[in-house]
Amino acid sequence: MAVVIAAAAVTVTVLRTDHTSGPPAAVTSSYTCQNGVLLSVITAPQVQAATQAVAEAWAATRPTVNGKCVTVTVDQENPSAAVQSLGVSPANTVWIPDSRFWADQLRGANPALRSTVAVSGSVGSSPLVVATAPSRATSIAAAAKTGWAGVLMGPAVVAVPDPLTTTEGALSALAVQSAVGSRPDSSAMLVGAFGRLATTAIAADGPTGFDAMQSSPASAPAFVASEQDVVRANRGKKAPMVSAVYPNGPTPVLDFPVVRITLPTADLNVAAAQTLFVSQLGTTAARMAYSEAGLRADPRLPLGAGENAIGAAQHPVTAASSPAAAQVALASRLWVAAVKPSNLLAAIDVSGSMGETTGTGLSKIALAAAAARTAMTIVPDTWTLGLWAFSAHDPPATDWTEIAPLAHVGSSRAQLAAAAATLPGRVGGNTGLYDTAWAAYQDVTRNYNPADVNVVAILTDGANVDPNGIDLPTLTSRLKATYDPARPVRIVTIGIGAQADAGALRAMSNATHGQSYIVLNPADIRSVLLQSIVANN
């Protein structure tokens, strides 16, 4: 949709392109603005109508810049799409996305724009809420007492929009990220949390949460939305169709910043027109237009009473701090990791040395078993996991024992955790590393899933000691010969302590384009195992 307003000293022309077909309709006086200054304005869809009203009111005052009339185009575009279009084809624009982190995304998408993108205030704000059927608001409110992370990571089902394309989804993911913190295994914990959220995520190109609420109010899940969207959904209704629940603590807020993009080559008249229009966005009339659109003037101020607040609460909120660009990038990467399932077979060394006690007071195998149990607890249901134990055995016995075959986590989580708990009781013998690596690689290759990331994860504290097995050159030669870039299966190796054969482990991983890690402090086994799993996604 685009609305074009032309203002001159004697005439005003308004072109509306909100028709479904046919040429734009025009309402003109005797003259039109010719050879004037063209001012481009792009807004998030939620504020397009209000911004259009401000532009029309400004056009009625017949503004000029250095004697030239001004033509304003007001277009709406999803902020994520605007980042892509402006990043590829920069333009002199006044941009009103729904969050200032999109300005950071634009700077990151095109570093040449870093000095030309400037935030100049805000047209209003709207806190995020949990939107739910009025009949279920009380139960959601009880979960909301623990804050945003409690709602999104708790037992209640709360759907989130796609974090990669919507601000509501991105800010929800960042709220969970903030709650998890920066501990060593935070990435793996986030992948687990995001995987759970992804199972009920609202697709960007599918029905909205409000659509589901309207068609099936009794069964539609609660979902994250803006307060503005709740108000608009209830507008014109005697009783609310949907209620807004406000989790305790700092709240993610849509802050609708005014972003000026002024390229170094911009005409001085264009820059001056931008300044004039931006000043209009702060007038009392503009504030009224954005208030009528359902925005707050400030998160600390409640909405006005009456129809504007149906389904919303009349109290202030504390805005969460704006996320850093690095936080947004990390959350996006981990969301992708969560929605891309893994087909992973873990092979854990149970040779005699794994029973040695570490400085933690626990044996290496106890730490490895605990790490495996944690991984099997937090990974999403959509993943496929299997577990082997290995130590050298004389033929015809194999060096590896399949404790849990590859299976979907959603239907085998309890069995996988129980299998991991048996690892300490299996300790004994030497390290049958190479035969196990080859067999595990073949097993995942046979069970290859093109929709998944296919991985063998091997954890050991020693070097191969198996006179009856293959040697390292034979193993790496076989791996390189069978590795298929079109159907990749990667080996990730984790060596524990100084006695692990780092060179051999690295050679195995390199042969399949995988990663290799060495853990000198056994207490770090858990975090490294979890991080290695995430890294491959």
Side-chain angles (χ1 to χ4, degrees):
M1 176 189 298
V3 178
V4 181
I5 302 105
V10 293
T11 66
V12 176
T13 300
V14 179
L15 298 180
R16 304 182 188 279
T17 60
D18 51 0
H19 299 279
T20 56
S21 61
V27 180
T28 66
S29 59
S30 56
Y31 298 99
T32 60
C33 176
Q34 295 180 350
N35 300 318
V37 179
L38 178 61
L39 175 61
S40 167
V41 179
I42 301 174
T43 77
Q46 306 98 304
V47 293
Q48 193 276 337
T51 306
Q52 171 189 326
V54 173
E56 289 178 341
W58 186 49
T61 68
R62 303 175 181 179
T64 61
V65 173
N66 293 326
K68 293 185 176 183
C69 58
V70 180
T71 300
V72 185
T73 64
V74 181
D75 295 280
Q76 69 171 19
E77 190 169 19
N78 182 291
S80 64
V83 167
Q84 295 179 23
S85 59
L86 290 171
V88 173
S89 301
N92 297 302
T93 303
V94 175
W95 180 34
I96 309 177
D98 54 14
S99 173
R100 67 185 58 225
F101 86 68
W102 292 113
D104 292 330
Q105 295 293 96
L106 179 58
R107 294 186 186 103
N110 188 338
L113 294 177
R114 287 175 181 170
S115 61
T116 65
V117 175
V119 177
S120 303
S122 164
V123 301
S125 63
S126 185
L128 295 193
V129 299
V130 178
T132 185
S135 61
R136 296 203 300 277
T138 300
S139 61
I140 296 294
K145 291 181 179 179
T146 58
W148 272 97
V151 169
L152 297 175
M153 300 172 69
V157 176
V158 177
V160 298
D162 180 9
L164 302 182
T165 58
T166 70
T167 310
E168 295 88 345
L171 293 180
S172 298
L174 288 164
V176 174
Q177 182 187 48
S178 177
V180 170
S182 57
R183 59 196 194 186
D185 57 358
S186 59
S187 292
M189 299 298 290
L190 276 172
V191 166
F194 287 172
R196 179 179 179 275
L197 290 175
T199 60
T200 58
I202 301 169
D205 57 353
T208 68
F210 292 102
D211 293 334
M213 194 72 66
Q214 188 163 15
S215 61
S216 306
S219 59
F223 59 96
V224 175
S226 71
E227 180 184 68
Q228 180 198 26
D229 284 341
V230 171
V231 168
R232 293 170 69 175
N234 289 326
R235 187 161 287 171
K237 296 179 173 60
K238 294 182 180 179
M241 175 190 78
V242 58
S243 293
V245 175
Y246 298 75
N248 286 353
T251 292
V253 172
L254 304 184
D255 56 359
F256 295 97
V258 179
V259 181
R260 288 183 58 173
I261 304 172
T262 311
L263 303 178
T265 57
D267 186 288
L268 293 178
N269 288 333
V270 172
Q274 287 182 341
T275 300
L276 287 176
F277 184 72
V278 168
S279 68
Q280 293 299 307
L281 297 174
T283 63
T284 300
R287 293 295 182 188
M288 287 293 295
Y290 290 112
S291 175
E292 289 171 1
L295 299 186
R296 300 181 180 210
D298 187 290
R300 295 166 294 183
L301 301 176
L303 282 171
E307 184 185 20
N308 234 26
I310 293 177
Q314 294 296 306
H315 65 73
V317 300
T318 300
S321 58
S322 298
Q327 290 177 289
V328 178
L330 176 61
S332 298
R333 289 198 301 271
L334 294 180
W335 181 269
V336 171
V339 299
K340 177 73 172 177
S342 272
N343 179 37
L344 185 146
L345 175 59
I348 296 181
D349 185 356
V350 291
S351 62
S353 58
M354 287 290 288
E356 296 172 357
T357 302
T358 69
T360 66
L362 298 174
S363 65
K364 286 180 279 187
I365 191 59
L367 293 170
R373 288 198 302 273
T374 299
M376 292 162 182
T377 300
I378 67 173
V379 299
D381 287 348
T382 53
W383 286 29
T384 299
L385 292 184
L387 180 63
W388 288 9
F390 70 91
S391 62
H393 296 91
D394 292 331
T398 62
D399 290 346
W400 63 93
T401 300
E402 184 181 73
I403 309 175
L406 285 165
H408 275 100
V409 173
S411 59
S412 60
R413 196 181 295 273
Q415 295 92 320
L416 286 163
T422 70
L423 288 170
R426 299 175 180 271
V427 170
N430 290 318
T431 306
L433 178 59
Y434 299 155
D435 279 5
T436 300
W438 176 237
Y441 184 83
Q442 290 178 298
D443 190 64
V444 175
T445 299
R446 282 192 299 271
N447 292 283
Y448 183 86
N449 188 332
D452 293 357
V453 178
N454 296 265
V455 179
V456 175
I458 298 175
L459 188 149
T460 180
D461 72 338
N464 183 73
V465 182
D466 182 8
N468 300 304
I470 60 176
D471 58 14
L472 181 61
T474 301
L475 171 61
T476 55
S477 176
R478 289 179 179 178
L479 292 173
K480 290 176 181 179
T482 56
Y483 179 81
D484 182 356
R487 293 169 57 88
V489 175
R490 296 182 174 88
I491 294 179
V492 176
T493 55
I494 302 173
I496 304 171
Q499 300 305 310
D501 191 342
L505 295 176
R506 188 165 52 249
M508 291 160 53
S509 294
N510 288 346
T512 61
H513 303 273
Q515 292 85 32
S516 185
Y517 304 83
I518 293 294
V519 183
L520 296 179
N521 183 355
D524 294 333
I525 291 175
R526 177 176 180 269
S527 62
V528 173
L529 176 62
L530 297 177
Q531 296 286 18
S532 68
I533 291 172
V534 172
N536 278 278
N537 275 39

PDB file of all heavy atoms in Angstrom, residues 72-85:
ATOM      1  N   VAL A  72       5.159  13.460  -0.558  1.00  0.00           N
ATOM      2  CA  VAL A  72       5.431  12.417   0.436  1.00  0.00           C
ATOM      3  C   VAL A  72       4.783  11.111  -0.008  1.00  0.00           C
ATOM      4  O   VAL A  72       3.600  11.080  -0.345  1.00  0.00           O
ATOM      5  CB  VAL A  72       4.895  12.802   1.831  1.00  0.00           C
ATOM      6  CG1 VAL A  72       5.299  11.749   2.859  1.00  0.00           C
ATOM      7  CG2 VAL A  72       5.374  14.178   2.234  1.00  0.00           C
ATOM      8  N   THR A  73       5.553  10.033  -0.025  1.00  0.00           N
ATOM      9  CA  THR A  73       4.982   8.704  -0.239  1.00  0.00           C
ATOM     10  C   THR A  73       5.067   7.934   1.071  1.00  0.00           C
ATOM     11  O   THR A  73       6.130   7.899   1.705  1.00  0.00           O
ATOM     12  CB  THR A  73       5.736   7.928  -1.330  1.00  0.00           C
ATOM     13  OG1 THR A  73       7.073   7.692  -0.898  1.00  0.00           O
ATOM     14  CG2 THR A  73       5.756   8.699  -2.636  1.00  0.00           C
ATOM     15  N   VAL A  74       3.968   7.356   1.496  1.00  0.00           N
ATOM     16  CA  VAL A  74       3.911   6.574   2.735  1.00  0.00           C
ATOM     17  C   VAL A  74       3.625   5.125   2.374  1.00  0.00           C
ATOM     18  O   VAL A  74       2.519   4.795   1.941  1.00  0.00           O
ATOM     19  CB  VAL A  74       2.842   7.119   3.702  1.00  0.00           C
ATOM     20  CG1 VAL A  74       2.822   6.302   4.992  1.00  0.00           C
ATOM     21  CG2 VAL A  74       3.092   8.591   4.003  1.00  0.00           C
ATOM     22  N   ASP A  75       4.620   4.259   2.520  1.00  0.00           N
ATOM     23  CA  ASP A  75       4.473   2.838   2.205  1.00  0.00           C
ATOM     24  C   ASP A  75       4.585   2.014   3.483  1.00  0.00           C
ATOM     25  O   ASP A  75       5.300   2.399   4.417  1.00  0.00           O
ATOM     26  CB  ASP A  75       5.575   2.382   1.248  1.00  0.00           C
ATOM     27  CG  ASP A  75       5.474   3.046  -0.111  1.00  0.00           C
ATOM     28  OD1 ASP A  75       4.663   2.596  -0.914  1.00  0.00           O
ATOM     29  OD2 ASP A  75       6.226   4.021  -0.334  1.00  0.00           O
ATOM     30  N   GLN A  76       3.919   0.894   3.523  1.00  0.00           N
ATOM     31  CA  GLN A  76       4.070  -0.021   4.650  1.00  0.00           C
ATOM     32  C   GLN A  76       4.857  -1.242   4.211  1.00  0.00           C
ATOM     33  O   GLN A  76       4.719  -1.717   3.086  1.00  0.00           O
ATOM     34  CB  GLN A  76       2.713  -0.437   5.211  1.00  0.00           C
ATOM     35  CG  GLN A  76       1.887  -1.342   4.313  1.00  0.00           C
ATOM     36  CD  GLN A  76       0.666  -1.884   5.014  1.00  0.00           C
ATOM     37  OE1 GLN A  76       0.220  -1.346   6.019  1.00  0.00           O
ATOM     38  NE2 GLN A  76       0.103  -2.952   4.486  1.00  0.00           N
ATOM     39  N   GLU A  77       5.706  -1.730   5.115  1.00  0.00           N
ATOM     40  CA  GLU A  77       6.512  -2.918   4.822  1.00  0.00           C
ATOM     41  C   GLU A  77       6.907  -3.569   6.135  1.00  0.00           C
ATOM     42  O   GLU A  77       7.262  -2.884   7.102  1.00  0.00           O
ATOM     43  CB  GLU A  77       7.760  -2.535   4.021  1.00  0.00           C
ATOM     44  CG  GLU A  77       8.521  -3.729   3.467  1.00  0.00           C
ATOM     45  CD  GLU A  77       9.590  -3.331   2.467  1.00  0.00           C
ATOM     46  OE1 GLU A  77       9.992  -2.144   2.460  1.00  0.00           O
ATOM     47  OE2 GLU A  77      10.032  -4.192   1.688  1.00  0.00           O
ATOM     48  N   ASN A  78       6.814  -4.881   6.160  1.00  0.00           N
ATOM     49  CA  ASN A  78       7.278  -5.616   7.337  1.00  0.00           C
ATOM     50  C   ASN A  78       8.736  -5.248   7.601  1.00  0.00           C
ATOM     51  O   ASN A  78       9.542  -5.215   6.681  1.00  0.00           O
ATOM     52  CB  ASN A  78       7.146  -7.126   7.078  1.00  0.00           C
ATOM     53  CG  ASN A  78       7.545  -7.966   8.255  1.00  0.00           C
ATOM     54  OD1 ASN A  78       8.722  -8.032   8.603  1.00  0.00           O
ATOM     55  ND2 ASN A  78       6.589  -8.623   8.863  1.00  0.00           N
ATOM     56  N   PRO A  79       9.109  -4.966   8.859  1.00  0.00           N
ATOM     57  CA  PRO A  79      10.482  -4.516   9.129  1.00  0.00           C
ATOM     58  C   PRO A  79      11.564  -5.458   8.637  1.00  0.00           C
ATOM     59  O   PRO A  79      12.600  -5.009   8.133  1.00  0.00           O
ATOM     60  CB  PRO A  79      10.510  -4.369  10.651  1.00  0.00           C
ATOM     61  CG  PRO A  79       9.100  -4.055  11.017  1.00  0.00           C
ATOM     62  CD  PRO A  79       8.264  -4.866  10.065  1.00  0.00           C
ATOM     63  N   SER A  80      11.356  -6.769   8.771  1.00  0.00           N
ATOM     64  CA  SER A  80      12.390  -7.699   8.312  1.00  0.00           C
ATOM     65  C   SER A  80      12.563  -7.611   6.799  1.00  0.00           C
ATOM     66  O   SER A  80      13.685  -7.692   6.284  1.00  0.00           O
ATOM     67  CB  SER A  80      12.046  -9.135   8.726  1.00  0.00           C
ATOM     68  OG  SER A  80      10.851  -9.585   8.099  1.00  0.00           O
ATOM     69  N   ALA A  81      11.455  -7.409   6.071  1.00  0.00           N
ATOM     70  CA  ALA A  81      11.550  -7.239   4.622  1.00  0.00           C
ATOM     71  C   ALA A  81      12.193  -5.901   4.274  1.00  0.00           C
ATOM     72  O   ALA A  81      12.957  -5.799   3.306  1.00  0.00           O
ATOM     73  CB  ALA A  81      10.161  -7.341   3.989  1.00  0.00           C
ATOM     74  N   ALA A  82      11.892  -4.875   5.078  1.00  0.00           N
ATOM     75  CA  ALA A  82      12.484  -3.561   4.829  1.00  0.00           C
ATOM     76  C   ALA A  82      14.002  -3.600   5.014  1.00  0.00           C
ATOM     77  O   ALA A  82      14.740  -2.945   4.273  1.00  0.00           O
ATOM     78  CB  ALA A  82      11.856  -2.525   5.764  1.00  0.00           C
ATOM     79  N   VAL A  83      14.459  -4.365   6.004  1.00  0.00           N
ATOM     80  CA  VAL A  83      15.903  -4.500   6.195  1.00  0.00           C
ATOM     81  C   VAL A  83      16.546  -5.088   4.942  1.00  0.00           C
ATOM     82  O   VAL A  83      17.608  -4.625   4.491  1.00  0.00           O
ATOM     83  CB  VAL A  83      16.211  -5.380   7.431  1.00  0.00           C
ATOM     84  CG1 VAL A  83      17.671  -5.798   7.454  1.00  0.00           C
ATOM     85  CG2 VAL A  83      15.864  -4.631   8.706  1.00  0.00           C
ATOM     86  N   GLN A  84      15.915  -6.079   4.370  1.00  0.00           N
ATOM     87  CA  GLN A  84      16.471  -6.699   3.172  1.00  0.00           C
ATOM     88  C   GLN A  84      16.472  -5.735   1.994  1.00  0.00           C
ATOM     89  O   GLN A  84      17.469  -5.583   1.290  1.00  0.00           O
ATOM     90  CB  GLN A  84      15.676  -7.956   2.827  1.00  0.00           C
ATOM     91  CG  GLN A  84      15.778  -9.055   3.873  1.00  0.00           C
ATOM     92  CD  GLN A  84      14.969 -10.282   3.509  1.00  0.00           C
ATOM     93  OE1 GLN A  84      14.673 -10.522   2.341  1.00  0.00           O
ATOM     94  NE2 GLN A  84      14.599 -11.076   4.497  1.00  0.00           N
ATOM     95  N   SER A  85      15.333  -5.049   1.774  1.00  0.00           N
ATOM     96  CA  SER A  85      15.243  -4.166   0.608  1.00  0.00           C
ATOM     97  C   SER A  85      16.138  -2.949   0.757  1.00  0.00           C
ATOM     98  O   SER A  85      16.838  -2.560  -0.189  1.00  0.00           O
ATOM     99  CB  SER A  85      13.786  -3.741   0.387  1.00  0.00           C
ATOM    100  OG  SER A  85      13.262  -3.065   1.525  1.00  0.00           O
TER     101      SER A  85
END
